[in-house]
Amino acid sequence: MMGDDLLLRRRGGVLFLVLSAVLVLLGGGADAGVTSSYRRKLEATVEMPLDADVFRVPPGYNAPQQVHITLGDQEGTAMTVSWVTASELGNSTVKFGEKPDPEKMERRAEGTHTRYDYFNYTSGFIHHCTLKHLKHSTKYYYAMGFGHTVRTFSFTTPPKPGPDVPFKFGLIGDLGQTFDSNITLSHYDDNGGDAVLYVGDLSYADNHPLHDNNRWDTWGRFMERNAAYQPWIWTAGNHELDFAPELGETTPFKPYTHRYPTPYLSSGSTEPFWYSVKLASAHVVVLSSYSAYGKYTPQWTWLQAELQRVDRTTTPWLVVLMHSPWYNSNNYHYMEGETMRVQFEKWLVDARADVVLAGHVHSYERSHRVSNVAYDIVNGEATPVRDAGAPVYVTIGDGGNIEGVADNFTRPQPSYSAFREASFGHATLEIKNRTHAYYSWHRNHDGAKVVADGVWLTNRAQSYAVFFLDRTKTSSMAIDHQP
Ligand SMILES: *[C@@H]1O[C@H](CO)[C@@H](O)[C@H](O)[C@H]1NC(C)=O
Ligand SMILES: *[C@@H]1O[C@H](CO)[C@@H](O)[C@H](O)[C@H]1NC(C)=O
Ligand SMILES: *[C@@H]1O[C@H](CO)[C@@H](O)[C@H](O)[C@H]1NC(C)=O
Ligand SMILES: *[C@@H]1O[C@H](CO)[C@@H](O)[C@H](O)[C@H]1NC(C)=O
Ligand SMILES: *[C@@H]1O[C@H](CO)[C@@H](O)[C@H](O)[C@H]1NC(C)=O
Ligand SMILES: [Fe+2]
């Protein structure tokens, strides 16, 4: 296996040893990255057929379908429920409460509905209803479809944000709707998380002729078994653009924005594509690779202010989501994230972000803690360096979509890359308390619980707060390590 993931930056040779448990790591620090030689199956990635079991329309006249939930506010005391009715508008009310019987659900909320046309496709009636004033850490049942076919689901609200609140995230990206996608989702179902951080590219409907939007509907039905029961935090990917002037479709993100709302208003954002939520001990910032991020743009202005609002004493973990990765050593989509990295990386390093998650590249990669923020046009310092204050970068675009696996890594493996493998899978991030989180990647060709790449992450803000008063003078003992 790989060497211990000791993240040393030796300056002046002074090394403060604080954690006795990691004495073994002394002398390490020059660990080479691993390119896993694990061979995935070589068959093509195949879309599940329209009559696949996972795409079945629920029985009953005008039954609610494609049910999914996301946070309805920044802190998890509201939940937005979305669903589609196909035959007629039906009823947009959601009843909810702590009892499973819809007759006994004491509360109700009125939803809204929308529809859209895309070339010659017309969507069903898309309902969105936000359930407000929920208690934290509480199981709620909810039901909709009154007057036609009532369906009942449940979710547990996230705990109140605080520094030592355990929480388990599922990390999934670029899922699509192939047989491999179904394995990814099944493995995540088996591993069981509390909420999903989804890094973009949802249905891949746009890979079908005319961007066949029926594939947005099949994806919604496929996802329901998980997304109706726990919040998915959405990031926009390039496959959400559906920008097709040749079809007369010139409004970017049209299907996505009609179907997948985000709670962007409650974090002071002006567009649904960038926003933040607080889940347990994590402050999660979602960015958009496909919206303007240059200086003075709305996203740039929002992120600058947002990073000031992050309160690491309440939410010690700062997790950032985007679609196009900044540190990607795969020849697919090589350097596509570069302009955004140049724009924002220093901010995330200065903010001591813990983890940056991206998708887009259909394989798996995890970086060491690195930064590349010294370059100023004249000094020539444009190489990533180990930086114990910087985030770990994870590319988790390996959900299994129709485009297949990205099996062409650059060689040699760059020194910033800790582990990479061209397989499908998903990851989880289990926050234990303010200092420790366990990150693990699960490839689809193993059992769901097998850890193909795992690392204990120590919190950047906490580690420095506790051990280092001046990170420019000391080497880091804020150590991540392999289990
Ligand atoms: C998808 O996975 C589920 C759960 O493992 C299984 O019941 C179902 O048959 C699968 N469907 C397809 C088309 O692979
Ligand atoms: C949309 O146009 C395509 C190509 O002409 C055709 O195959 C399809 O049946 C049409 N769909 C609808 C809903 O008219
Ligand atoms: C929708 O269903 C609820 C619950 O049964 C009912 O109170 C409400 O009147 C219905 N709304 C409409 C517009 O029919
Ligand atoms: C891998 O990527 C390199 C660089 O883009 C390219 O030259 C090469 O042909 C690719 N190999 C395969 C097998 O696609
Ligand atoms: C935080 O969690 C880690 C991992 O479970 C554990 O080793 C450590 O003792 C915990 N810290 C506190 C203060 O409980
Ligand atoms: Fe993508």
Side-chain angles (χ1 to χ4, degrees):
M1 258 321 271
M2 71 180 65
D4 297 297
D5 193 15
L6 176 55
L7 300 165
L8 294 181
R9 195 161 60 157
R10 289 173 199 218
R11 283 208 188 154
V14 183
L15 176 62
F16 294 108
L17 253 191
V18 181
L19 302 173
S20 57
V22 294
L23 274 168
V24 63
L25 298 176
L26 249 182
D31 48 338
V34 170
T35 300
S36 170
S37 60
Y38 191 92
R39 296 286 298 185
R40 66 179 293 276
K41 64 161 195 177
L42 296 170
E43 305 92 77
T45 316
V46 179
E47 208 87 312
M48 290 185 282
L50 291 173
D51 62 359
D53 53 1
V54 293
F55 297 152
R56 243 177 246 141
V57 174
Y61 177 71
N62 208 32
Q65 53 167 283
Q66 307 176 43
V67 180
H68 54 90
I69 61 172
T70 193
L71 290 197
D73 67 4
Q74 200 188 23
E75 303 220 347
T77 55
M79 200 70 83
T80 299
V81 179
S82 304
W83 72 96
V84 172
T85 49
S87 305
E88 57 173 295
L89 173 57
N91 182 312
S92 291
T93 301
V94 172
K95 282 175 135 189
F96 61 106
E98 293 176 51
K99 300 205 178 71
D101 179 356
E103 295 301 318
K104 297 197 175 121
M105 292 175 185
E106 58 281 357
R107 298 177 59 191
R108 66 187 57 195
E110 283 309 313
T112 59
H113 74 275
T114 186
R115 308 186 80 166
Y116 70 92
D117 296 317
Y118 193 95
F119 191 63
N120 67 352
Y121 166 95
T122 300
S123 75
F125 299 88
I126 304 171
H127 304 255
H128 302 295
C129 181
T130 300
L131 319 185
K132 295 179 182 161
H133 308 298
L134 305 174
K135 291 182 282 186
H136 283 291
S137 302
T138 303
K139 181 165 186 181
Y140 287 94
Y141 294 87
Y142 66 100
M144 78 293 273
F146 299 102
H148 294 140
T149 300
V150 177
R151 297 184 70 203
T152 302
F153 303 86
S154 65
F155 58 78
T156 300
T157 46
K160 186 174 163 56
D164 291 299
V165 185
F167 200 77
K168 183 173 179 180
F169 291 106
L171 314 178
I172 303 177
D174 304 69
L175 188 57
Q177 44 192 309
T178 71
F179 289 97
D180 297 284
S181 319
N182 196 37
I183 296 171
T184 304
L185 187 62
S186 302
H187 282 202
Y188 176 59
D189 284 338
D190 289 350
N191 273 341
D194 301 311
V196 170
L197 302 180
Y198 192 83
V199 292
D201 282 359
L202 284 63
S203 74
Y204 288 76
D206 61 347
N207 276 7
H208 293 265
L210 306 173
H211 293 223
D212 185 0
N213 272 233
N214 292 297
R215 282 289 178 174
W216 275 105
D217 292 309
T218 54
W219 198 77
R221 295 198 289 270
F222 161 51
M223 299 304 296
E224 183 187 277
R225 73 177 195 249
N226 190 287
Y229 298 93
Q230 60 175 269
W232 284 52
I233 306 304
W234 302 110
T235 309
N238 54 307
H239 287 276
E240 278 65 72
L241 280 162
D242 284 306
F243 175 70
E246 71 280 13
L247 303 178
E249 291 298 341
T250 53
T251 307
F253 301 114
K254 193 204 258 183
Y256 175 65
T257 49
H258 280 82
R259 293 168 183 272
Y260 293 92
T262 65
Y264 68 99
L265 291 173
S266 49
S267 53
S269 168
T270 49
E271 296 282 347
F273 315 112
W274 59 88
Y275 61 101
S276 73
V277 292
K278 299 175 193 178
L279 285 157
S281 299
H283 189 117
V284 179
V285 170
V286 179
L287 297 179
S288 174
S289 301
Y290 305 99
S291 304
Y293 44 75
K295 194 167 186 178
Y296 313 126
T297 60
Q299 183 170 207
W300 182 94
T301 305
W302 176 83
L303 180 60
Q304 186 178 51
E306 175 66 11
L307 292 172
Q308 298 301 313
R309 288 189 287 261
V310 178
D311 173 8
R312 303 294 278 274
T313 58
T314 311
T315 49
W317 295 88
L318 177 54
V319 179
V320 182
L321 274 52
M322 63 189 63
H323 185 61
S324 190
W326 295 352
Y327 285 92
N328 162 41
S329 69
N330 197 301
N331 282 311
Y332 288 91
H333 300 306
Y334 193 61
M335 300 275 285
E336 281 183 25
E338 190 64 4
T339 51
M340 194 196 218
R341 183 190 70 75
V342 168
Q343 192 63 258
F344 287 151
E345 183 181 13
K346 185 161 191 314
W347 286 2
L348 298 194
V349 173
D350 288 348
R352 295 175 186 166
D354 291 291
V355 187
V356 177
L357 302 167
H360 199 40
V361 178
H362 303 156
S363 64
Y364 171 71
E365 183 163 17
R366 174 176 59 83
S367 79
H368 294 292
R369 293 194 181 278
V370 289
S371 69
N372 186 5
V373 293
Y375 185 56
D376 68 356
I377 297 285
V378 292
N379 67 6
E381 293 182 29
T383 310
V385 294
R386 294 292 183 95
D387 183 344
V392 165
Y393 292 86
V394 171
T395 302
I396 191 77
D398 55 348
N401 68 74
I402 191 174
E403 294 176 350
V405 84
D407 195 7
N408 187 354
F409 287 114
T410 60
R411 290 187 182 78
Q413 185 168 12
S415 59
Y416 65 73
S417 174
F419 186 97
R420 53 185 196 171
E421 180 177 316
S423 292
F424 294 138
H426 78 283
T428 59
L429 178 65
E430 297 172 60
I431 292 176
K432 304 291 186 187
N433 54 36
R434 72 185 72 194
T435 54
H436 285 75
Y438 183 60
Y439 166 84
S440 59
W441 178 64
H442 305 264
R443 69 165 79 87
N444 282 358
H445 288 265
D446 292 332
K449 310 252 181 241
V450 176
V451 175
D453 177 40
V455 62
W456 277 97
L457 300 174
T458 52
N459 186 279
R460 290 304 95 181
Q462 293 295 323
S463 305
Y464 282 102
V466 173
F467 300 121
F468 305 102
L469 299 176
D470 182 354
R471 69 178 259 250
T472 62
K473 278 205 192 131
T474 61
S475 301
S476 174
M477 286 313 303
I479 293 168
D480 303 330
H481 57 281
Q482 303 291 134

